[in-house]
Amino acid sequence: MQLLIPILLVFIAGGFVSAQAPTNAILARAGGSPVLAALISFAVGTLALLIAWLASGNRPGGGAFVGLPWYAWIGGLYGAIFVAVAAFAVPKIGVASLITIGIAGQIAMALLLDHFGALGLAREPINLGRIAGALLVVAGVILVRRS
C-alpha cells in the first residue's frame, strides 16, 4: 500500500505526458515553432510550480544549494529538449510512437546511469534481466510503429 500512491501518481503523470505532446503541437502549429510552444508550455508549468511551492510553505535557505555540482542545475534543460522535440515530432509520428520511442530512450539512459552509478545514484550493474526488459520495450516500440 505504501507504494500504491507513488505508482498511481506516476501513472497519471505519464498520461499527462501523452496529452502534453499534442497540446504543444497545437501551439507549435499556431506559433510556427516547436521551441515557442515549449517556451509557452514551460512558462505555464513554471507558474503552476511557483504557486504549488508557495502554497507548500517550504522555504530552504540559500545555503541549501551551495556546493551543488553544475549538473544539478540543468535538469530543466532535459525537459525543455523533450517538450520541444515532442511538439515537433508528434504530428509526424503520433503520440503512441513518440511515447514508446521516448520510453525506450529513457530505459537505455537509465540502464547506463544505474550501471555507472552516475549523478549520485546507487550502482546497479546491467545484467541479463535488465537487458531483456529493455529489449522487450524495444519490441514494443517496433510493434507500435508497425501496427
Side-chain angles (χ1 to χ4, degrees), residues 3-64:
L3 294 178
L4 182 62
I5 299 291
I7 289 170
L8 286 174
L9 289 173
V10 169
F11 182 81
I12 292 166
F16 287 157
V17 169
S18 292
Q20 182 184 33
T23 303
N24 288 340
I26 293 167
L27 287 172
R29 229 179 354 262
S33 168
V35 175
L36 176 60
L39 177 63
I40 293 168
S41 179
F42 269 78
V44 171
T46 298
L47 180 61
L49 289 172
L50 177 63
I51 291 167
W53 175 68
L54 289 172
S56 77
N58 178 349
R59 303 291 184 276

Side-chain angles (χ1 to χ4, degrees), residues 22 24 34-35 37 41 45 48 53 78 87 91 100 102 109 115 119 122 126 128 133 147:
N24 288 340
V35 175
S41 179
W53 175 68
Y78 309 136
T100 55
M109 180 62 83
H115 181 76
L119 304 175
I126 293 176
L128 287 177
S147 296

